[in-house]
């Protein structure tokens, strides 16, 4: 199976971002682990998967996998890259549409701004607003062959 991917870096952590909207993906933990391997795969701290959402009222689903293939709930530096990827490849410029994640709904009031190469993300919902500022850059894009087993 050939996978298109984007290699990104967010505040020192590196990520492989997979677009599960334009390519159908159903990767096993073993395939994810192989993809994250720094010697035999692309190599990364985590894999970020953007999918079309099945949840009512949301446009995208955001999934995060550690290098061992296990799924986790959140990653702040990964969120930088997720938002940068969505804004780079769509008409989204300042306001993220509703996004579902394993942790729950990312508040629709996310605000994104870029100044001098830095990305600022603000989740305004709930009791504790979150601000993240720092770089999120695309390192390169490519295609890798992954065994289907």
């Amino acid at each position: 199976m050939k996978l298109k991917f984007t290699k990104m870096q967010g505040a020192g952590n590196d990520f492989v971002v997979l677009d599960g909207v334009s390519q159908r993906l159903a990767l096993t933990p073993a395939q994810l682990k192989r993809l994250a391997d720094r010697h035999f795969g692309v190599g990364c701290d985590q894999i970020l998967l953007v999918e079309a959402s099945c949840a009512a009222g949301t446009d995208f689903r955001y999934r995060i996998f550690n290098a061992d293939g296990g799924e986790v709930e959140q990653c702040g530096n990964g969120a930088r890259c997720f938002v940068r990827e969505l804004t780079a490849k769509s008409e989204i410029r300042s306001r993220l549409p509703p996004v579902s994640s394993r942790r729950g709904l990312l508040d629709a009031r996310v605000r994104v701004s870029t100044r001098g190469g830095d990305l600022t993300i603000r989740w305004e919902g709930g009791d504790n607003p979150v601000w993240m500022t720092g770089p999120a850059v695309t390192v390169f894009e490519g295609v890798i062959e992954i065994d289907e087993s």
Side-chain angles (χ1 to χ4, degrees):
M1 160 190 348
K2 289 188 179 191
L3 291 177
K4 292 180 184 176
F5 68 89
T6 302
K7 176 79 179 242
M8 299 187 79
Q9 180 273 129
N13 295 116
D14 63 331
F15 303 93
V16 170
V17 182
L18 299 174
D19 177 356
V21 176
S22 65
Q23 61 184 341
R24 184 171 163 82
L25 300 175
L27 300 172
T28 66
Q31 290 171 317
L32 293 165
K33 188 174 180 179
R34 174 74 182 230
L35 185 61
D37 187 286
R38 294 191 185 278
H39 300 288
F40 299 105
V42 177
C44 62
D45 294 315
Q46 290 181 315
I47 298 162
L48 310 177
L49 176 58
V50 181
E51 299 175 316
S53 181
C54 298
T58 62
D59 294 349
F60 298 101
R61 182 177 179 202
Y62 168 47
R63 298 177 71 192
I64 307 145
F65 298 91
N66 281 335
D68 66 2
E71 190 169 2
V72 297
E73 289 187 350
Q74 66 180 4
C75 175
N77 290 336
R80 298 171 204 271
C81 294
F82 168 75
V83 170
R84 172 70 79 185
E85 185 76 352
L86 281 183
T87 58
K89 294 187 175 177
S90 69
E91 297 300 315
I92 301 165
R93 292 292 173 253
S94 64
R95 192 170 179 87
L96 196 66
V99 175
S100 67
S101 71
R102 187 170 182 181
R103 182 157 190 226
L105 183 68
L106 296 182
D107 194 294
R109 293 173 290 170
V110 171
R111 299 231 190 310
V112 180
S113 64
T114 56
R115 296 178 73 216
D118 282 351
L119 176 71
T120 300
I121 305 170
R122 179 180 180 188
W123 277 274
E124 294 180 307
D127 296 332
N128 300 306
V130 176
W131 286 81
M132 293 185 293
T133 300
V137 296
T138 297
V139 179
F140 64 90
E141 294 183 345
V143 176
I144 187 170
E145 184 78 31
I146 296 288
D147 293 336
E148 297 205 27
S149 56

